[in-house]
């Protein structure tokens, strides 16, 4: 099975975006009916869930509900506790022309979002509301004459320099004893089944010396110390790869290092099979972090990376929806 | 044919408006579900197979006879590693059976094997010829909305022009051209698709109805016509149609529900004949098992360790 040699650079599988058709429909009507040429940033919500199949990764998904509509006040209530929809905050910059879309200074936008994450890490907000660690960015141009949408996602990740190195990485089922694994599975399933915690993507796994595991909120870190307990930092991992954790671990490591000053970090990439904890698919790793330069200065925001590639290239995506959105086409096909 | 489908749609819509939803159970007699039975069966599916969840869909499309937060069921990002059409070709090439008939089907599913042959039963049912898929059965096709054959996409800019110079080379980013699923073979990377599978309640037929939204390997929306490559070819041109989704925007492929009641009735009869008392909250498991014969390569979850309603032995 997958056990990587120690000392190698810890590499993360990038997050991938997926946009439901309904999102573009909602954006179009918002643009036509309300925004006009107002191009100020819009708060949107993305959704993701742990990997649930050994052969495909999960994605950061945008649905029509990602854009709050005036009539849809219940968004927060209908999504609350939906285990297949952890809400992640994002910012949408929708431009008025293709030229301005391409002229966007993407590097400074990314920095701006990374700064928010950095500030949330230092203020402690990221411990209370961990979803802000996965904050994302979307730029778009909605061509409502051709019903085509140009867009580009970024999943800002604060860069550790030098990068974290991997001491150990293996399937969780091999890292835990069988008793521990059983208890961890049960505790994770309970966490995922409770509507108050199902959509909390970062958590602590505390395994007592009698092999009994409990899942705790990040803010309980201090309370989990001592007693010879094993303490792991868990997160919902959208990635399915056996040798790499997914993207949400990146900012999590930064949080753990910045907040608790840990140089050696045990993490659990939590993954599921058919909706239940799968410790054969989940990974446990140990990462080693060396103090990055200038790190203590909270004014000094680390570099950020994270613009999504389009088939391996640094390029935006485009989707044409004339078939389902163009009124004249719809009229023709209805005739 | 499209006209016929159109008229039929109007007719069905009108009937749905003037008839009240089913409230009396006819699950065992007709294989259909009342609204409350649909909710019950849906709740059971969500609790046993948690990749499924209830959703409320578009507020403007909400059905008043269903709870606002339980309008339909959906499971997203379901892998589909191979085209059903090519799987069948391989089976045929090997002289095997065309339809999926694996060990798991333990016989009882075969009883409804060829409902399409019983044309006499179709007389009072709407025509299923509505969907004429031309014979261009190009299994390898991967065109999507993005850069597909659409003529008006000519202005998609040359992306290279806008490529960023590498300002930061980040050693911690896993380099990969783009991430694809693990494939059974090396040469068919383009075959990996994912699906959002949703189940709505069809008030006219009083049965669940399955809808498919496909995405290619880079998660770009598939044209609904390409979804038909993932439908068993026995059904692709007959029982799967492309229509407006009752709760979501856009056109989606759907397994037409006109035979669902009859098929479910047969499955229930088989269970009864074996001394198994069918339970209505297990309806969707039976239903999804039968749907798997229509979309054999879409690996949605419908399994559970359950007795199909009590054991006879």
């Amino acid at each position: 099975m997958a056990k990587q040699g120690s000392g190698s650079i810890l590499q993360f599988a990038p997050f991938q975006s997926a946009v439901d058709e309904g999102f573009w429909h909602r954006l179009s009507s918002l643009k036509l009916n309300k925004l006009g040429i107002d191009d100020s940033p819009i708060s949107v919500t993305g959704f993701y869930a742990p990997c649930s199949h050994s052969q495909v990764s999960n994605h950061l998904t945008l649905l029509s509900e990602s854009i709050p509509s005036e009539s849809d006040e219940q968004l927060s209530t209908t999504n609350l506790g939906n285990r297949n929809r952890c809400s992640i905050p994002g910012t949408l910059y929708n431009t008025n022309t293709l030229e301005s879309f391409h002229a966007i200074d993407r590097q400074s936008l990314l920095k701006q979002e990374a700064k928010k994450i950095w500030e949330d890490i230092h203020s402690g907000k990221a411990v209370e509301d961990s979803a802000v660690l996965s904050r994302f960015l979307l730029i778009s141009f909605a061509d409502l004459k051709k019903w085509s949408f140009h867009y580009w996602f970024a999943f800002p990740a604060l860069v550790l320099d030098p990068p974290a190195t991997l001491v150990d990485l293996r399937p969780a089922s091999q890292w835990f004893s069988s008793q521990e694994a059983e208890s961890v599975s049960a505790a994770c399933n309970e966490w995922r089944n409770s509507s108050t915690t199902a959509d909390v993507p970062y958590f602590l796994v505390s395994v007592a010396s009698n092999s009994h595991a409990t899942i705790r909120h990040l803010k309980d870190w201090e309370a989990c110390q001592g007693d010879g307990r094993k303490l792991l930092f868990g997160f919902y991992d959208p990635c399915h790869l056996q040798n790499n954790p997914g993207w949400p671990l990146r900012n999590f490591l930064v949080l753990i290092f910045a907040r608790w000053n840990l140089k050696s970090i045990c993490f659990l990439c939590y993954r599921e099979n058919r909706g239940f904890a799968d410790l054969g698919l989940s990974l446990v790793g140990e990462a080693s972090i060396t103090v990055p330069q200038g790190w203590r200065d909270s004014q000094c925001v680390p570099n950020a990376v994270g613009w999504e590639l389009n088939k391996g290239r640094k390029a935006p995506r485009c989707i044409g929806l004339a078939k389902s959105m163009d009124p004249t086409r719809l009229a023709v096909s209805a005739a | 044919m499209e006209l016929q489908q159109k008229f039929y749609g109007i007719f069905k819509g009108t009937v749905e408006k003037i008839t009240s939803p089913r409230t009396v159970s006819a699950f065992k007699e007709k294989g259909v579900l009342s609204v409350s039975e649909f909710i019950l069966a849906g709740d059971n599916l969500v609790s046993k197979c948690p990749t499924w969840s209830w959703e409320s869909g578009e507020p403007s499309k909400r059905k008043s006879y269903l709870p606002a937060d339980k309008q339909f069921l959906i499971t997203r990002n379901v892998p589909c590693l191979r085209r059903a059409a090519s799987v069948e070709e391989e089976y045929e090439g090997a002289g095997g059976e065309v339809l999926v008939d694996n060990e798991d089907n333990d016989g009882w599913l075969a009883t409804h094997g060829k409902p399409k042959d019983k044309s006499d039963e179709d007389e009072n049912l709407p025509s299923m010829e509505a969907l004429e898929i031309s014979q261009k059965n190009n299994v390898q096709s991967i065109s999507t909305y993005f850069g597909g054959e659409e003529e008006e996409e000519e202005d998609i800019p040359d992306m290279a022009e806008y490529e960023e110079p590498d300002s930061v080379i980040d050693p911690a980013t896993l380099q990969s051209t783009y991430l694809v699923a693990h494939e059974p073979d090396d040469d068919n990377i383009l075959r990996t698709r994912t699906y959002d599978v949703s189940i709505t309640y069809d008030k006219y037929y009083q049965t669940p109805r399955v809808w498919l939204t496909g995405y290619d390997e880079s998660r770009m929306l598939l044209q609904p016509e390409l979804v038909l490559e993932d439908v068993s070819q026995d059904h692709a041109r007959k029982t799967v149609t492309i229509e407006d989704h009752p709760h979501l925007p856009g056109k989606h492929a759907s397994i037409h529900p006109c035979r669902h009641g009859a098929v479910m009735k047969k499955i229930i009869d088989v269970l009864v004949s074996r001394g198994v008392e069918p339970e209505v909250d297990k309806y969707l498991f039976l239903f999804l098992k039968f749907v798997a014969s229509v979309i054999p390569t879409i690996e949605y979850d419908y399994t559970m360790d359950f007795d199909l309603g009590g054991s006879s032995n």
Side-chain angles (χ1 to χ4, degrees):
Chain A
M1 290 294 279
K3 184 182 173 183
Q4 285 198 345
S6 66
S8 58
I9 290 175
L10 177 54
Q11 292 192 318
F12 308 85
F15 227 144
Q16 295 168 286
S17 68
V19 189
D20 200 79
E21 191 176 347
F23 177 82
W24 301 120
H25 285 251
R26 183 73 67 92
L27 177 61
S28 304
S29 61
L30 186 72
K31 180 87 185 144
L32 289 171
N33 303 330
K34 194 176 166 200
L35 297 180
I37 57 162
D38 178 4
D39 60 358
S40 28
I42 304 165
S43 286
V44 293
T45 306
F47 304 102
Y48 94 105
C51 166
S52 60
H53 197 287
S54 61
Q55 287 170 308
V56 287
S57 287
N58 251 315
H59 312 269
L60 193 283
T61 305
L62 292 195
L63 308 169
S64 59
E65 295 96 315
S66 294
I67 300 178
S69 85
E70 305 92 287
S71 62
D72 200 14
E73 300 293 330
Q74 324 86 316
L75 174 73
S76 50
T77 52
T78 50
N79 284 322
L80 210 62
N82 183 334
R83 54 179 288 141
N84 297 317
R85 276 199 189 188
C86 299
S87 301
I88 302 293
T91 309
L92 165 65
Y93 294 83
N94 186 51
T95 62
N96 285 313
T97 63
L98 190 58
E99 290 68 35
S100 49
F101 172 77
H102 288 299
I104 285 179
D105 181 352
R106 294 186 299 107
Q107 231 23 60
S108 71
L109 269 194
L110 186 69
K111 275 199 171 137
Q112 202 177 309
E113 292 303 304
K115 187 160 181 278
K116 291 183 197 168
I117 296 171
W118 183 244
E119 285 169 356
D120 287 342
I121 285 174
H122 283 273
S123 73
K125 188 183 176 201
V127 171
E128 296 291 328
D129 177 14
S130 54
V132 299
L133 288 174
S134 298
R135 183 186 285 286
F136 68 97
L137 177 63
L138 172 62
I139 59 172
S140 68
F141 164 61
D143 185 340
L144 301 184
K145 292 198 179 83
K146 296 192 171 103
W147 304 102
S148 65
F149 301 85
H150 302 255
Y151 65 100
W152 204 335
F153 274 86
F155 304 106
L158 299 164
V159 174
L160 290 168
D161 184 21
T165 54
L166 200 53
V167 178
D168 184 24
L169 183 70
R170 60 177 99 180
S173 55
Q174 293 177 18
W175 195 86
F176 291 112
S177 72
S178 60
Q179 264 182 314
E180 287 170 344
E182 203 174 304
S183 184
V184 168
S185 284
C188 287
N189 285 329
E190 195 185 326
W191 178 270
R192 291 280 290 147
N193 280 332
S194 159
S195 63
T196 57
T197 52
D199 55 358
V200 179
Y202 295 91
F203 51 90
L204 298 168
V205 183
S206 163
V207 185
S209 47
N210 67 357
S211 300
H212 180 73
T214 45
I215 309 294
R216 305 285 292 268
H217 285 278
L218 292 185
K219 59 174 189 253
D220 297 333
W221 185 79
E222 278 81 12
C224 292
Q225 299 304 305
D227 304 349
R229 270 186 272 206
K230 291 181 191 169
L231 193 61
L232 294 90
F233 292 88
F235 71 103
Y236 294 173
D237 191 354
C239 172
H240 73 284
L241 300 174
Q242 285 189 339
N243 294 319
N244 297 90
W247 206 248
L249 179 60
R250 290 196 77 153
N251 290 334
F252 195 26
L253 289 183
V254 174
L255 167 76
I256 296 162
F257 180 72
R259 185 151 186 100
W260 295 300
N261 202 21
L262 298 182
K263 295 183 180 64
S264 173
I265 296 170
C266 250
F267 57 86
L268 168 69
C269 307
Y270 175 75
R271 301 170 181 180
E272 297 180 339
N273 185 22
R274 299 193 179 279
F276 296 98
D278 184 332
L279 294 199
L281 197 54
S282 300
L283 305 174
V284 172
E286 195 184 333
S288 164
I289 297 178
T290 34
V291 186
Q293 289 169 351
W295 190 259
R296 290 287 150 223
D297 181 5
S298 66
Q299 296 305 309
C300 174
V301 183
N303 276 331
V305 294
W307 284 100
E308 187 178 31
L309 299 182
N310 180 5
K311 302 190 175 170
R313 299 168 67 196
K314 292 191 172 186
R317 293 171 188 241
C318 178
I319 185 165
L321 291 177
K323 274 188 180 168
S324 68
M325 293 181 78
D326 182 352
T328 49
R329 281 233 213 168
L330 291 177
V332 169
S333 71
Chain B
M1 286 310 169
E2 279 204 3
L3 199 61
Q4 195 179 348
Q5 192 180 7
K6 204 97 226 158
F7 278 130
Y8 169 62
I10 294 166
F11 164 72
K12 184 168 175 275
T14 312
V15 172
E16 284 186 352
K17 263 184 211 137
I18 56 175
T19 53
S20 55
R22 172 169 286 280
T23 50
V24 179
S25 177
F27 156 62
K28 282 180 219 168
E29 295 74 25
K30 295 182 179 167
V32 298
L33 283 184
S34 69
V35 171
S36 60
E37 286 170 333
F38 176 67
I39 302 295
L40 183 73
D43 283 344
N44 198 28
L45 177 68
V46 168
S47 86
K48 300 293 193 321
C49 299
T51 51
W52 288 92
S53 32
W54 284 108
E55 285 201 6
S56 49
E58 286 289 295
S60 59
K61 294 185 167 187
R62 222 157 263 173
K63 310 284 186 243
S64 59
Y65 49 85
L66 290 162
D69 60 340
K70 293 182 179 178
Q71 293 279 306
F72 68 106
L73 294 150
I74 192 162
T75 178
R76 297 181 196 276
N77 198 40
V78 176
C80 177
L81 303 179
R82 318 178 71 187
R83 303 289 71 81
S86 68
V87 171
E88 283 170 26
E89 273 168 19
E90 284 163 30
Y91 277 137
E92 277 171 345
E97 290 184 0
V98 175
L99 268 180
V100 282
D101 192 18
N102 56 28
E103 313 81 61
D104 296 331
N105 285 343
D106 40 7
W108 57 267
L109 199 63
T111 53
H112 69 88
K114 291 190 170 62
K116 65 186 190 324
D117 288 339
K118 299 180 180 144
S119 48
D120 52 323
E121 282 184 23
D122 287 341
E123 56 202 8
N124 54 2
L125 291 168
S127 164
M128 291 310 307
E129 296 161 37
L131 192 77
E132 293 274 299
I133 304 302
S134 64
Q135 290 297 325
K136 48 157 191 166
N137 192 8
N138 45 349
V139 167
Q140 293 302 326
S141 165
I142 52 142
S143 51
T144 61
Y145 281 115
F146 174 72
E149 62 266 49
E150 297 219 40
E151 66 286 352
E152 68 275 21
E153 301 292 357
E154 83 287 337
D155 71 330
I156 288 181
D158 177 12
M159 302 306 182
E161 207 180 311
Y162 300 104
E163 281 195 37
E164 262 327 91
D166 275 281
S167 45
V168 186
I169 298 192
D170 173 46
T173 300
L174 179 64
Q175 301 297 325
S176 168
T177 48
Y178 51 101
L179 287 166
V180 294
H182 287 149
E183 298 284 340
D185 305 304
D186 294 336
D187 63 337
N188 59 357
I189 282 164
L190 298 176
R191 288 183 182 176
T192 300
R193 290 176 176 176
T194 54
Y195 276 90
D196 294 346
V197 182
S198 57
I199 305 175
T200 61
Y201 181 73
D202 192 287
K203 194 179 158 200
Y204 181 85
Y205 290 105
Q206 301 168 356
T207 62
R209 177 169 189 172
V210 169
W211 299 82
L212 303 169
T213 312
Y215 301 86
D216 72 5
E217 77 291 346
S218 54
R219 283 294 290 186
M220 296 299 285
L221 197 62
L222 278 181
Q223 295 183 36
E225 288 76 12
L226 292 175
V227 170
L228 296 171
E229 295 172 352
D230 294 314
V231 172
S232 150
Q233 295 304 289
D234 271 13
H235 297 89
R237 294 170 194 83
K238 301 186 181 75
T239 46
V240 176
T241 55
I242 293 159
E243 295 178 45
D244 290 326
H245 194 287
H247 300 284
L248 296 171
K251 300 269 180 198
H252 301 253
S254 168
I255 303 174
H256 201 278
C258 64
R259 302 278 319 153
H260 287 0
V263 171
M264 290 303 292
K265 166 74 174 142
K266 282 185 184 163
I267 294 173
I268 290 161
D269 286 349
V270 170
L271 288 180
V272 170
S273 74
R274 293 183 177 184
V276 178
E277 180 65 19
E279 292 168 39
V280 75
D281 66 340
K282 311 244 167 71
Y283 186 100
L284 284 174
F285 297 102
L286 299 172
F287 174 73
L288 286 173
K289 187 157 178 157
F290 133 64
V291 165
S293 66
V294 182
I295 44 175
T297 56
I298 302 179
E299 301 177 24
Y300 61 85
D301 187 19
Y302 60 96
T303 52
M304 58 176 287
D305 292 324
F306 76 105
D307 227 344
L308 294 173
S311 172
S312 53
N313 43 21

